Amino acid sequence: MKLYIADGNPHCIKVLAALELTGGKCDTEVVSHEEKVVPHFTHPVSPALLLPDGQHLFSPNSICQYLFDISGQKATDATNQWLEWEATNLQPAVLQSLHMVALQGKHVEAAAVMKEPLNWLEQSLSKNNTPFLTAEAVSVADVVLWAALYPLLSDSGFDAGELRSVRGWFQRVGGLEACQTAARRVLQGKGVEALKTFLQKHPATQTPRRDSPTNATEAEDGEHVMTVEEIEEAAQIWSEGLKASPAVTERKHPVLPQEGKRNVLLTSALPYVNNVPHLGNIIGCVLSADVFARYGRLRGWNLLYICGTDEYGTATENKAREEGLMPQEICDKYHAVHADIYQWFQIDFDFFGRTTTERQTEIAQDIFWRLHERGFLLEDTVEQLRCESCQRFLADRFVEGECPHCRYPEARGDQCDKCGRLINAVELRNPQCKVCKETPVIRSSKHLFLNLPKLEDELEQWLDKSTGSGDWTANARHITHSWLRDGLKPRCITRDLRWGTPVPHEEYKEKVFYVWFDAPIGYLSITANYTDQWEKWWKNPQQVELYNFMAKDNVPFHSVVFPCSLLGAQDNYTLVNHLIATEYLNYEDTKFSKSRGVGVFGDMAKDTGIPSDVWHFNQFATFSSHQSCCWSLLRAGMFVSKFFDGCVPEMLLNEDDKRLIAEVHWELKQYIQLLDKVRIRDALKCILNISRHGNQYIQVNEPWKKIKGGDGDRQRAGTVTGVSVNVACLLSVVLEPYMPSVSRTIRQQLQAPPTCVSAMLQNTGTFICTLPAGHCIGTVSPLFQKLENEQIEVLRKRFGGQQPEEESAKVKTRVETKPSAGAAQNASVNVNADPERAKQLTALVAEQGNKVRGLKAQKAEQSVIDEAVEALLDLKKQLSLAEGKNPEPAAQKRKKK
């Protein structure tokens, strides 16, 4: 074996100490921070251990574990838990603190970052009956944790507080000659100064950033440090229990604006009706809007959520031609498919309509005439592509060619899927008719245009007000401002098609409205089909807040084109206050696309047998997969049944209990602040933090052991169980927008009072004891069914390759945002599989993915991000090999949208 280390790399302390303690026979070589020692890696990595079979280990914890294993000191469940905690909780805080101390001289701030992990370690050690973490003798867990903490705790300027148990343990481990030698070799007597070069090349992955309640662009790092006053106040509020609180009222249709209420009108982008909805649309628009709609209703807002299928336009004509049906038949068929899939996904629309209705024609033509009468329309002759073989002008989606901007070979006639630029079909290079594959010719046709330049000043005034007071995502702001920066140009609103809303002008009676003039009006017409009083929502900007959810390629039409249509109509229309644009959900290196058949589709998700709630949760919990396992806290309900005859025991709070209550209370407040700002993923992190606090509380206090002790221990077990089951009840409340069925099941099992939801989510959020002593719970049972290996293999084969044969050469079929355990690479089997190495690499892929996200969040230099991404790709390739797969050469990487 050969161990490669680098001076000044703090991770090398643990591997050198482990090597010395285990007596491993291994050569050691010091390399520079830039030297590459692992084959096929495009970036340097250390420490790295070359194994006798030629393989490399390059995770410090894996190296330490391996050295202990081959010495006969096998890992236990306890040591594995400590190693996981070090990697996922302690190490990010340590690296952030080292950056503060070594590079910024911020000792006080660093101590604040370390406060929670050190306090948790202190609590755990204080309850130990052994001198080390898991036994009488030092283990791999002791070495790994000691080495991680050594640079900080040995620094004279770093004040970690009293921490008697931590100090005692730290001195016992540090007294070992192997540990002292390792520290001296890496730090060379310079302390944290020796780490500067390493730290400058490895930006810290910071703890989750939270929006300040007063400014969405400002955030604070690290865990919130609880004051004594906050702890006492939270405990007092909690102990007061559930007071009289109105339950969330049942919806009565039609939902209409009410005086004195917060009236929220919510739309998600209308999906094209030309195919089965895919996960990119369901997640990016519909599911995100559904989470927010459910949250708003739980908060007591008067909210109307509408959506429907966009049924006019070229895409429908094309699909009808492919299936040998009339356009209306295609619309009827796929509208039913959409409605069925959204119902299975539990999307809670107030109304799901469609655009092929009389109300659509009436409202669209009314807006057209109002624009025409006020001088906001222009006439012009347009050069268009005409297919002489098909004897028709080719609408945008009937033609493909090379993008004039980025040279993407499959750009459509209206927009390039790769670079996102809007284009005119005549600008395409080497165009082809999608129907007959012939080369079209350019011909002239007269059309009507919306005079955007004439409306530009009014639009900018409105945008300043809307973006200044509303919650617009950063990408929505950027895209909108880039349109304005480049100057607005007249936009064509008519098309030479048969299937669409007819233009009511005599000179244009053979034409229809262009889909991006017509489709957004669908929001109004769908509402009008829901209620005749639709104008109370859409012509009432004084009382109504409008939220639009969409993918980012739809932003210009919702922030510029459609608002200009409504401003020009001068009919007191409600304009968007909050515009939420989601990034593309990628399938390998290209975005999901119904028109191209790229992605996982809604009916496929339905057919897996995996509950829709699981799909909901996994689509938002794409960070640190270990955090998704928050369900162990629900064991508290089982403790109530098993140890306390199904009734919540008496709870006598001590300081640890009060601190937990205060921490959970604070996370609840953050959850509400974030969801109020439509920060859906960030709010989910608060849920996971609540779960983490609760799980650690249970693990430290071990009620399953204390219940077997004397009266004092049994009383303590009762308190911990009672507090924990109340945390579980809160989890069911905050999970409701994300996992409605699971949330309701938890509350049913706990027999929680119906008013607990509104009580805890009212105002700024209040964590209260909703399950007091004596409350009887129901039967507690598992929430999820385990996926057996056979099921996983079936899903793996199914989702490993979705594309037609001719597409597979262009797009590798691997789901990047994994919808389930079954989404995996499609690769042939290789007999050289290594399950153990695959397990290690799976963890490393997750760890490196977190690093990449952290670098992007910190806006690190692009070269640093690129290097981290290359490392992630290398790890994925190694994982594929270790899983016994023989991956094909990677397709050319496209920049993700």
Side-chain angles (χ1 to χ4, degrees):
M1 295 190 300
K2 189 170 187 177
L3 178 65
Y4 297 93
I5 63 170
D7 291 333
N9 182 335
H11 300 305
C12 293
I13 299 176
K14 61 179 71 171
V15 298
L16 286 172
L19 179 63
E20 183 71 15
L21 275 172
T22 58
K25 303 299 181 183
C26 181
D27 295 328
T28 303
E29 180 177 339
V30 178
V31 298
S32 70
H33 292 289
E34 291 77 27
E35 191 168 348
K36 301 173 184 176
V37 296
V38 179
H40 311 301
F41 267 38
T42 58
H43 71 292
V45 58
S46 67
L49 180 64
L50 175 61
L51 303 178
D53 63 359
Q55 298 279 357
H56 286 79
L57 293 178
F58 37 84
S59 163
N61 287 9
S62 297
I63 294 172
C64 293
Q65 184 68 73
Y66 178 81
L67 293 172
F68 271 77
D69 283 349
I70 63 175
S71 72
Q73 302 176 61
K74 297 295 184 181
T76 65
D77 288 342
T79 57
N80 285 336
Q81 288 174 10
W82 277 113
L83 291 180
E84 181 181 2
W85 180 78
E86 189 273 346
T88 59
N89 291 70
L90 180 62
Q91 194 57 240
V94 166
L95 285 178
Q96 186 179 347
S97 299
L98 286 174
H99 274 79
M100 291 178 171
V101 171
L103 303 182
Q104 302 169 5
K106 296 181 178 179
H107 289 79
V108 175
E109 292 83 350
V113 170
M114 291 299 299
K115 186 177 181 66
E116 184 182 12
L118 286 175
N119 282 344
W120 194 81
L121 182 58
E122 175 71 10
Q123 291 179 26
S124 299
L125 287 169
S126 66
K127 301 176 188 302
N128 267 7
N129 296 320
T130 58
F132 298 100
L133 288 174
T134 62
E136 293 294 331
V138 71
S139 70
V140 63
D142 294 285
V143 172
V144 168
L145 267 70
W146 175 87
L149 290 168
Y150 180 81
L152 287 172
L153 296 189
S154 62
D155 184 87
S156 59
F158 183 84
D159 182 13
E162 189 171 2
L163 301 174
R164 291 183 181 179
S165 298
V166 171
R167 295 287 185 187
W169 163 82
F170 185 76
Q171 290 171 6
R172 284 191 292 276
V173 180
L176 300 171
E177 181 59 28
C179 293
Q180 295 177 17
T181 301
R184 285 196 299 268
R185 184 165 182 181
V186 174
L187 301 183
Q188 300 178 350
K190 300 177 183 178
V192 293
E193 288 291 313
L195 308 179
K196 281 188 174 181
T197 300
F198 171 87
L199 295 171
Q200 288 167 347
K201 293 179 178 294
H202 296 80
T205 301
Q206 298 185 354
T207 47
R209 297 172 66 92
R210 306 186 188 281
D211 280 354
S212 163
T214 57
N215 190 333
T217 63
E218 296 176 359
E220 55 179 310
D221 297 328
E223 294 287 347
H224 179 67
V225 180
M226 307 301 303
T227 66
V228 174
E229 292 76 16
E230 285 178 310
I231 293 172
E232 289 300 324
E233 181 184 11
Q236 177 62 36
I237 293 172
W238 186 84
S239 298
E240 291 174 0
L242 189 62
K243 299 178 180 179
S245 177
V248 176
T249 56
E250 291 293 324
R251 267 178 286 170
K252 294 182 180 179
H253 294 288
V255 178
L256 296 173
Q258 297 178 26
E259 193 72 37
K261 297 275 285 185
R262 183 177 183 185
N263 299 299
V264 174
L265 176 58
L266 194 154
T267 71
S268 51
L270 308 182
Y272 275 130
V273 78
N274 65 317
N275 209 327
V276 178
H278 59 71
L279 291 187
N281 179 269
I282 295 171
I283 294 159
C285 303
V286 177
L287 183 54
S288 297
D290 183 68
V291 169
F292 189 68
R294 290 178 181 274
Y295 169 75
R297 293 179 187 126
L298 292 175
R299 293 271 280 152
W301 303 344
N302 185 48
L303 185 145
L304 178 68
Y305 178 22
I306 60 117
C307 188
T309 43
D310 177 7
E311 301 188 353
Y312 283 132
T314 313
T316 304
E317 279 195 25
N318 203 19
K319 191 67 173 180
R321 180 176 284 102
E322 289 175 8
E323 297 195 14
L325 298 173
M326 297 300 291
Q328 187 62 60
E329 293 175 318
I330 282 290
C331 293
D332 294 343
K333 171 183 175 179
Y334 283 104
H335 174 80
V337 170
H338 277 253
D340 181 61
I341 288 173
Y342 296 138
Q343 183 177 14
W344 181 82
F345 266 97
Q346 301 182 80
I347 306 302
D348 195 12
F349 301 119
D350 287 292
F351 187 71
F352 184 74
R354 54 199 305 187
T355 57
T356 52
T357 66
E358 292 182 5
R359 299 311 301 268
Q360 174 74 13
T361 302
E362 292 170 9
I363 297 172
Q365 291 184 348
D366 177 68
I367 291 175
F368 165 79
W369 280 119
R370 294 183 71 88
L371 289 168
H372 185 273
E373 291 163 1
R374 287 158 180 77
F376 292 119
L377 297 182
L378 300 172
E379 291 185 348
D380 201 358
T381 300
V382 177
E383 289 187 332
Q384 289 180 261
L385 293 178
R386 178 179 173 83
C387 179
E388 298 296 350
S389 175
C390 297
Q391 287 294 298
R392 61 183 296 168
F393 283 102
L394 296 180
D396 299 334
R397 287 178 177 261
F398 279 108
V399 61
E400 280 188 347
E402 184 180 293
C403 174
H405 306 292
C406 71
R407 303 297 178 89
Y408 179 56
E410 298 171 16
R412 299 195 310 267
D414 59 347
Q415 189 171 20
C416 175
D417 278 347
K418 184 178 180 184
C419 69
R421 297 279 290 273
L422 297 177
I423 51 182
N424 289 320
V426 294
E427 298 175 332
L428 290 172
R429 301 179 181 182
N430 304 315
Q432 275 191 338
C433 171
K434 286 191 66 175
V435 178
C436 67
K437 304 302 180 185
E438 293 294 323
T439 300
V441 296
I442 297 177
R443 294 287 185 267
S444 296
S445 178
K446 192 167 74 170
H447 284 278
L448 288 167
F449 288 73
L450 178 61
N451 192 347
L452 294 179
K454 190 173 181 179
L455 289 158
E456 189 164 0
D457 288 343
E458 188 176 358
L459 175 73
E460 288 194 17
Q461 292 176 20
W462 165 75
L463 277 172
D464 286 344
K465 180 180 178 181
S466 182
T467 59
S469 60
D471 293 315
W472 288 51
T473 53
N475 55 358
R477 294 171 186 269
H478 174 75
I479 293 168
T480 301
H481 289 152
S482 68
W483 265 55
L484 293 174
R485 183 187 63 240
D486 297 339
L488 297 183
K489 300 175 179 61
R491 184 89 183 158
C492 188
I493 65 168
T494 55
R495 281 292 184 267
D496 289 299
L497 293 175
R498 300 180 182 89
W499 185 245
T501 301
V503 178
H505 195 291
E506 180 63 28
E507 295 181 26
Y508 297 89
K509 60 184 179 181
E510 300 299 322
K511 302 182 189 293
V512 299
F513 287 128
Y514 175 42
V515 68
W516 277 115
F517 174 79
D518 184 58
I521 297 173
Y523 298 134
L524 284 63
S525 71
I526 289 170
T527 309
N529 279 294
Y530 167 67
T531 173
D532 290 339
Q533 302 177 71
W534 66 275
E535 292 183 346
K536 290 185 177 180
W537 285 108
W538 284 104
K539 295 184 180 181
N540 189 5
Q542 294 77 23
Q543 281 191 314
V544 173
E545 287 182 73
L546 174 58
Y547 285 79
N548 289 162
F549 284 75
M550 70 206 67
K552 69 177 185 180
D553 56 346
N554 288 344
V555 167
F557 305 103
H558 287 77
S559 67
V560 176
V561 179
F562 186 44
C564 278
S565 297
L566 298 184
L567 288 169
Q570 297 177 359
D571 203 15
N572 196 38
Y573 277 108
T574 302
L575 302 181
V576 62
N577 303 95
H578 314 276
L579 201 154
I580 316 302
T582 58
E583 296 294 325
Y584 301 135
L585 176 64
N586 276 10
Y587 195 75
E588 182 51 27
D589 295 307
T590 189
K591 72 172 184 174
F592 276 59
S593 171
K594 285 186 297 186
S595 60
R596 302 183 190 284
V598 177
V600 178
F601 292 76
D603 53 346
M604 299 175 186
K606 180 180 177 181
D607 292 344
T608 61
I610 298 172
S612 62
D613 269 18
V614 176
W615 289 85
H616 284 203
F617 187 83
N618 285 340
Q619 301 319 315
F620 293 111
T622 55
F623 45 86
S624 304
S625 58
H626 74 280
Q627 296 185 50
S628 299
C629 304
C630 66
W631 312 110
S632 59
L633 185 64
L634 301 179
R635 291 178 302 167
M638 298 179 184
F639 296 161
V640 173
S641 298
K642 183 176 181 180
F643 301 133
F644 301 99
D645 298 323
C647 292
V648 177
E650 181 184 18
M651 291 164 277
L652 301 178
L653 304 182
N654 66 17
E655 291 307 311
D656 288 344
D657 307 323
K658 293 178 180 179
R659 176 173 291 278
L660 169 75
I661 289 168
E663 289 169 339
V664 170
H665 180 75
W666 188 81
E667 290 291 349
L668 173 60
K669 287 180 174 293
Q670 298 304 303
Y671 165 89
I672 287 176
Q673 289 178 6
L674 289 166
L675 267 185
D676 277 355
K677 292 288 187 180
V678 209
R679 299 294 297 273
I680 293 173
R681 289 184 187 273
D682 287 341
L684 182 54
K685 294 178 186 179
C686 295
I687 298 176
L688 299 177
N689 284 339
I690 291 172
S691 175
R692 175 172 55 84
H693 287 309
N695 287 332
Q696 290 176 354
Y697 172 73
I698 291 178
Q699 290 164 10
V700 168
N701 286 284
E702 299 178 324
W704 58 90
K705 290 184 179 179
K706 287 185 171 57
I707 197 67
K708 301 173 184 177
D711 291 344
D713 280 348
R714 288 184 60 82
Q715 172 63 61
R716 183 66 190 142
T719 297
V720 172
T721 300
V723 171
S724 298
V725 81
N726 272 278
V727 175
C729 184
L730 172 63
L731 278 176
S732 77
V733 171
V734 293
L735 273 171
E736 172 105 4
Y738 300 87
M739 304 183 78
S741 291
V742 167
S743 172
R744 288 191 291 269
T745 299
I746 295 172
R747 289 202 296 282
Q748 287 169 3
Q749 293 183 4
L750 297 178
Q751 295 190 165
T755 57
C756 70
V757 177
S758 57
M760 288 197 276
L761 292 184
Q762 65 184 351
N763 301 322
T764 60
T766 309
F767 178 37
I768 53 181
C769 180
T770 55
L771 309 178
H775 173 87
C776 294
I777 69 171
T779 301
V780 178
S781 57
L783 296 171
F784 305 104
Q785 180 181 356
K786 180 181 178 182
L787 276 178
E788 301 298 337
N789 290 335
E790 294 80 6
Q791 294 172 277
I792 293 174
E793 187 57 32
V794 169
L795 294 172
R796 186 189 307 279
K797 289 179 179 178
R798 181 176 185 189
F799 290 110
Q802 298 296 336
Q803 309 313 310
E805 188 173 332
E806 63 270 19
E807 284 286 321
S808 63
K810 305 169 187 171
V811 183
K812 291 193 306 179
T813 52
R814 172 175 58 78
V815 178
E816 287 196 3
T817 303
K818 299 182 180 178
S820 73
Q825 289 182 334
N826 179 29
S828 55
V829 176
N830 187 321
V831 295
N832 297 318
D834 186 344
E836 285 301 315
R837 180 165 171 73
K839 183 178 180 181
Q840 295 170 351
L841 284 164
T842 298
L844 291 172
V845 167
E847 182 180 329
Q848 185 67 18
N850 289 337
K851 181 177 180 181
V852 170
R853 285 187 284 275
L855 289 170
K856 290 180 177 179
Q858 297 170 49
K859 295 182 170 48
E861 292 184 6
Q862 190 60 47
S863 60
V864 176
I865 295 175
D866 291 343
E867 184 176 332
V869 170
E870 288 178 5
L872 178 61
L873 296 175
D874 284 333
L875 284 169
K876 288 182 177 179
K877 187 181 294 184
Q878 294 284 335
L879 174 59
S880 183
L881 291 169
E883 288 178 335
K885 299 172 184 175
N886 189 13
E888 300 174 3
Q892 181 180 357
K893 295 290 176 186
R894 300 186 183 94
K895 184 176 180 182
K896 291 183 182 179
K897 303 286 184 183

